[in-house]
Amino acid sequence: MNIPFELPPEDRGTSPRTGLTRAHWEAVADGLLTAAWRYGTPGGALLHLPGRPSRSGVRSDGLEGYARTFLAAAFRIAGAGGADPHDWLGRYARGLAAGTRTPGRDDAESWPLVLDHDVQGQPMVESASVALGLRLTAPWLWDRLDDGVRDRAEGWLRGALRHTPAPNNWYLFPYTVAGFLESVGRGDEETARARERALDLLEGWYRGGGWYADGDGRAFDHCNGWALHLYPVLDAHLAGDADLSARYGPGCASTWRASRCCSARTARRSTSGAR
């Protein structure tokens, strides 16, 4: 198989069945990100990937290019404990600053505003990816931004809390935005309402056996796994919320405790100079 980036040698000792380890997945992520960033704007706020524009428009597509690749970079870097040898977070930080400087303006970098789903809906979807990426990488990106950029980013993200989602899994997008804002000390009644509303709807959509309807009635699709299960479980995991973990993902609480113990052991070894 020919791929446009290098992979490390197979490691059959660590991974006897496939030979693939985390290092291979990191290499794949880095290769995909390198390819995508060839289409970034000078300020890094939009990634205009080639192909026919969607019905949401070129600017929304460019935001999607930024937001979805940011998710890949965020998971890759968070899983590596902040190691970022290619400075992906530097690129996304510059893009965040450029995109939120004058949102809604028709220029080379500005992000579209988050509006109601039937007016300009797609940016609400992307706001959740941006928020999740920021939450995953907060110690290495958000915490190092200046106050002005953080305030502008919050202002743009709050558009998801103040506009109407589509009547389905889209309510988990403001839920995810609110979870991030609360995690960095910017929660308030507005974020609390968004989270309570989403969880109330989720309860009503549950059909048993692990199945959620995607809104009222008999509406079932891939969002059952990608959104309706993922966002609440991931939010509970990142928050260390044992109650929500037990409700939405029974294995999540033990996984969180194990990861915290592992992190503590790693920190102790680093402090003592052990390897």
Side-chain angles (χ1 to χ4, degrees):
M1 179 178 66
N2 294 322
I3 54 176
F5 47 85
E6 292 186 8
L7 290 175
E10 291 185 357
D11 181 353
R12 294 286 173 175
T14 302
S15 180
R17 291 186 179 274
T18 67
L20 303 180
T21 65
R22 178 177 174 85
H24 292 82
W25 294 114
E26 288 181 348
V28 170
D30 290 336
L32 293 172
L33 290 167
T34 297
W37 269 97
R38 295 172 185 164
Y39 302 99
T41 52
L46 305 170
L47 273 67
H48 294 298
L49 302 179
R52 186 175 62 186
S54 75
R55 65 180 181 179
S56 297
V58 172
R59 186 173 301 278
S60 179
D61 293 349
L63 170 61
E64 184 172 349
Y66 174 97
R68 304 304 176 94
T69 59
F70 184 27
L71 270 183
F75 280 116
R76 182 253 188 270
I77 292 161
D84 185 12
H86 303 285
D87 192 31
W88 295 125
L89 293 188
R91 298 190 190 203
Y92 286 100
R94 290 188 291 274
L96 180 71
T100 59
R101 188 168 291 117
T102 52
R105 181 179 292 181
D106 185 13
D107 58 27
E109 304 289 347
S110 294
W111 287 355
L113 297 170
V114 180
L115 301 176
D116 293 342
H117 76 94
D118 57 349
V119 177
Q120 183 172 276
Q122 192 62 31
M124 185 178 292
V125 182
E126 309 316 326
S127 71
S129 293
V130 172
L132 183 53
L134 290 172
R135 188 171 184 179
L136 287 163
T137 61
W140 313 290
L141 196 164
W142 179 263
D143 291 351
R144 299 178 183 181
L145 295 172
D146 65 53
D147 289 340
V149 176
R150 286 197 289 254
D151 290 344
R152 295 202 311 266
E154 177 185 355
W156 182 81
L157 287 168
R158 280 188 180 271
L161 310 182
R162 297 167 181 170
H163 290 89
T164 305
N168 51 30
N169 72 88
W170 278 40
Y171 276 91
L172 291 172
F173 301 142
Y175 173 85
T176 301
V177 168
F180 162 66
L181 292 175
E182 291 184 354
S183 75
V184 293
R186 293 180 177 237
D188 55 19
E189 292 182 1
E190 189 172 52
T191 61
R193 282 197 303 272
R195 291 173 60 76
E196 182 178 2
R197 177 184 63 184
L199 293 181
D200 285 347
L201 288 169
L202 197 64
E203 292 295 323
W205 293 337
Y206 190 60
R207 297 293 183 263
W211 283 96
Y212 290 94
D214 193 13
D216 294 335
R218 292 181 56 81
F220 300 95
D221 62 15
H222 65 278
C223 288
N224 187 74
W226 168 238
L228 295 162
H229 277 288
L230 174 69
Y231 283 113
V233 171
L234 188 54
D235 174 79
H237 172 69
L238 293 173
D241 189 320
D243 291 337
L244 284 181
S245 294
R247 183 161 188 79
Y248 295 111
C252 186
S254 59
T255 301
W256 170 259
R257 286 194 295 271
S259 67
R260 290 295 295 271
C261 291
C262 181
S263 297
R265 288 196 297 271
T266 301
R268 286 196 294 271
R269 286 198 298 268
S270 298
T271 302
S272 65
R275 294 288 183 181

